[in-house]
């Protein structure tokens, strides 16, 4: 039995994603719905990015940092199966709301210009106004970054805010750190829709009993398979 199995590196079969571009290409050519064809075309482009990145060694599938040059806190764009495309989810061209924010704040329509402005007193005041009103949305985690900086500054956590800014700054021209505008605050989470009350869910869990087939499989994996491995050593 191999006692070091858990320490061995994760290996992904390179053949796994290879059929995906062809499937997307077929859908993009033959599907009757125009919207589906467009989505399939985009999906095919992303799969080609995956394959190119894997072939060039830019992607390490299965790693906490699958995209070379991006830290673990950056959300990667992924396709079916969890394969990173090599692109950050918060990257890409300037979004319309970023362009509008740059216009209203009087700065060039560039992400770094927006980032720098939000670290000034007027910029922090602008962020505090969003925090107070709740008129913002977060599409990807990175879009909460500058709001977090503003919150830390307001609560006297200046060192933590400076550390966060230092971490974000190298990516200020590439990633969206600005929150999206919203017409109103987020819905009250206490009024969220639910299917069962907490007590109902707890009661259902307490009434559950071990499944014989699952327990038999557990015993086979935990007892008999290791025993067989020891006999074969």
């Amino acid at each position: 039995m191999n006692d070091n199995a858990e320490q061995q590196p994760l290996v992904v079969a390179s053949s796994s994603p290879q059929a995906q571009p062809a499937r997307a290409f077929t859908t993009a050519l033959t599907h009757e719905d125009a919207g589906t064809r467009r989505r399939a075309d985009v999906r095919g482009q992303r799969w080609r990015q995956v394959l190119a990145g894997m072939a060039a060694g830019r992607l390490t599938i299965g790693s906490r940092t699958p995209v070379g040059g991006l830290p673990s806190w950056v959300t990667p764009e992924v396709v079916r199966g969890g394969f990173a495309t090599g692109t950050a989810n918060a990257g890409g061209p300037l979004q319309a709301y970023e362009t509008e924010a740059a216009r209203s704040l009087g700065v060039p329509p560039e992400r770094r210009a927006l980032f720098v402005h939000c670290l000034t007193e007027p910029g922090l005041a602008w962020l505090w106004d969003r925090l107070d009103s709740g008129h913002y949305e977060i599409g990807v985690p990175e879009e909460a970054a500058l709001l977090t900086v503003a919150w830390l500054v307001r609560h006297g956590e200046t060192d933590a805010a400076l550390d966060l800014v230092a971490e974000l700054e190298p990516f200020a021209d590439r990633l969206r750190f600005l929150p999206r505008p919203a017409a109103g605050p987020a819905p009250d989470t206490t009024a969220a829709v639910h299917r069962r009350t907490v007590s109902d869910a707890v009661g259902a869990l307490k009434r559950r009993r071990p499944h014989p087939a699952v327990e038999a499989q557990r015993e086979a994996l935990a007892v008999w398979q290791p025993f067989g491995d020891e006999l074969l050593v």
Side-chain angles (χ1 to χ4, degrees), residues 185-193:
D188 183 2
T189 55
T190 61
V193 176

Side-chain angles (χ1 to χ4, degrees), residues 42-78:
V42 172
R43 190 163 63 249
Q45 293 175 16
R46 290 175 177 171
W47 274 112
R48 287 190 289 274
Q49 286 180 300
V50 171
L51 293 174
M54 292 174 67
R58 295 191 302 270
L59 298 178
T60 308
I61 306 302
S63 168
R64 287 185 66 247
T65 53
V67 183
L70 294 182
S72 59
W73 55 263
V74 174
T75 309
E77 179 186 69
V78 296

Side-chain angles (χ1 to χ4, degrees), residues 52-232:
M54 292 174 67
R58 295 191 302 270
L59 298 178
T60 308
I61 306 302
S63 168
R64 287 185 66 247
T65 53
V67 183
L70 294 182
S72 59
W73 55 263
V74 174
T75 309
E77 179 186 69
V78 296
V79 291
R80 184 177 182 179
F83 289 88
T85 66
T87 301
N89 245 355
L94 215 64
Q95 300 283 308
Y97 82 90
E98 294 176 289
T99 303
E100 176 57 27
R103 186 197 62 77
S104 65
L105 296 173
V107 300
E110 301 168 355
R111 285 190 175 133
R112 183 169 292 278
L114 285 166
F115 182 83
V116 171
H117 177 80
C118 285
L119 301 180
T120 64
E121 288 189 15
L124 287 171
W126 184 82
L127 290 168
W128 289 332
D129 180 65
R130 268 114 193 103
L131 285 172
D132 293 337
S133 67
H135 290 193
Y136 64 88
E137 293 177 349
I138 305 300
V140 293
E142 289 82 349
E143 293 173 1
L146 285 170
L147 283 177
T148 304
V149 171
W151 187 94
L152 289 169
V153 172
R154 171 180 273 184
H155 288 79
E157 300 289 344
T158 308
D159 289 343
L162 290 173
D163 288 343
L164 179 55
V165 169
E167 183 74 24
L168 300 173
E169 190 277 332
F171 304 93
D173 56 346
R174 299 169 55 187
L175 303 180
R176 297 191 304 275
F177 293 138
L178 205 67
R180 300 168 183 261
D188 183 2
T189 55
T190 61
V193 176
H194 63 272
R195 294 185 61 189
R196 295 182 178 87
T197 64
V198 173
S199 60
D200 289 342
V202 170
L205 290 172
K206 286 182 176 179
R207 290 191 296 272
R208 294 190 66 175
R209 294 292 179 266
H211 194 287
V214 173
E215 293 305 308
Q217 185 180 36
R218 191 194 309 276
E219 181 181 358
L221 293 173
V223 178
W224 298 113
Q225 183 170 318
F227 177 69
D229 290 341
E230 293 292 341
L231 291 178
L232 295 174

